[in-house]
Structure formats: structure tokens, C-alpha cells
Amino acid sequence: MAGTTTKADSLWDQQGLSRFGGDAIQAFARAHDDKLSLCQTLEEIADSLPDEVDKQKCKLAAREIWPLLRSVHSFEEKIIFPALADRLAHVDGIDETIARLKSEHAEDECYAEELTDTLLLLGAGDRGVNFDAVGYMLRGFFESVRRHVAFEREIVLRLARGTETTTDTGRQTH
């Protein structure tokens, strides 16, 4: 639709960080909020299957899912992950962890493309879809994204902020 903006358009356009005063950490946290909001919408759609599907919600989610993920992932991979790799170059396994996160991004984007097609079918009122399969697709996707965000919040965001963590033994780690 001309003139309609999505979260992806409004937050992750060419100005990028300028919306957050150049604060990459604030932008990273906001990206998590947007991804979790999308997951909530997808969960609501899954819960509405098969008889109470909100067609408009399906269409909006279909329009938002891939651009939001792609733009947020691009931001993370161009801004957050390189800074983290530099900051933690001395930590064993950091390169492997970042590679795993990037791999999860690629998987989520492929899955998002499939979900887009399915959500468009639901939004069009197509009753020929397998509602059980759609429910599993939606739940598998949003649970995976939620786990990814939880890891990034618990580990990556803390490390990016430079916050020291304390282990159960009371030793500080970096």
C-alpha cells in the first residue's frame, strides 16, 4: 500500500541509528521489542486457527515479517556483531557464537518467506490450508525467534553494553 509504513520501514530505513541518537545498544533493544511484538501477533494468529482468523491481522503480519527480520538482522550483522567480535576477540568461541547467530538469522528469514505466503493465504480467507500445519509453522517460528531474542538479551546485549556478569561462584566474568 502506498503511504503505509511498517515497523521495518520506520525503524530500519537509511537513517538507521539516527532515530536512536546513534545509540546502537538502544536500537538493538528496540529491535528485540519489535521482534517480540511480531511473535505476539503470530501467536494470536495461531491461537485463532481455524475458525476465528483475523484476515487483516494476517495480511499485516505477512507484510511485516520478512522486511522486519531482514532489516533487523542486517543491522545486527553490520553494527552489533562486528563490535562484539572486536570487544571480545580474546574470548574463545566468540566467532563461532556469532556465526551461529548469523546462521539462525538466515534460517529465520527463509522460514519468514514461507510464512508470508501462508499468512497471505489466511488473509485471503483460503480455507484449503492445513490449519494444523499452519499452527505448527507459526509456533515453531515464533518460539525460535523468542529463544534467539532471549539469548541476545541475556548474553549479547549484556556483553555489548560491557556489563560484567557474576557467576554462581561469585567470580566476575567479562
Side-chain angles (χ1 to χ4, degrees):
M1 260 185 195
T4 303
T5 61
T6 66
K7 287 179 186 170
D9 295 326
S10 63
L11 289 176
W12 310 107
D13 60 7
Q14 292 181 1
Q15 282 81 39
L17 293 177
S18 66
R19 296 187 184 286
F20 300 96
D23 186 341
I25 301 304
Q26 184 181 1
F28 190 42
R30 178 61 185 267
H32 287 155
D33 292 343
D34 287 349
K35 287 168 77 173
L36 292 175
S37 176
L38 176 64
C39 287
Q40 180 61 39
T41 298
L42 297 175
E43 184 172 20
E44 291 167 5
I45 292 168
D47 289 346
S48 75
L49 298 173
D51 297 321
E52 298 176 20
V53 175
D54 180 335
K55 294 176 190 174
Q56 187 64 23
K57 186 178 283 190
C58 292
K59 291 175 190 175
L60 291 172
R63 190 177 69 207
E64 184 173 324
I65 189 170
W66 195 88
L68 176 64
L69 286 181
R70 182 61 218 134
S71 59
V72 167
H73 292 165
S74 177
F75 163 75
E76 291 176 1
E77 292 172 13
K78 290 177 182 174
I79 305 295
I80 299 296
F81 294 169
L84 193 64
D86 288 345
R87 178 185 193 99
L88 300 175
H90 64 283
V91 175
D92 284 339
I94 192 64
D95 291 334
E96 291 82 2
T97 297
I98 291 171
R100 180 179 56 84
L101 292 171
K102 287 180 178 180
S103 176
E104 288 177 10
H105 286 174
E107 289 175 20
D108 288 347
E109 289 169 26
C110 288
Y111 209 3
E113 287 186 89
E114 290 180 39
L115 275 177
T116 296
D117 294 340
T118 301
L119 289 166
L120 289 172
L121 290 173
L122 288 173
D126 188 332
R127 301 290 299 171
V129 299
N130 181 329
F131 290 107
D132 288 334
V134 172
Y136 283 116
M137 272 180 82
L138 288 165
R139 292 182 195 289
F141 179 79
F142 68 70
E143 288 300 328
S144 174
V145 171
R146 284 176 174 160
R147 277 191 301 275
H148 184 93
V149 168
F151 178 81
E152 287 184 343
R153 281 185 166 177
E154 293 166 9
I155 305 300
V156 177
L157 191 56
R158 183 176 292 154
L159 293 171
R161 284 183 173 142
T163 306
E164 291 184 349
T165 60
T166 304
T167 65
D168 292 339
T169 62
R171 291 184 353 177
Q172 285 188 338
T173 59
H174 295 30

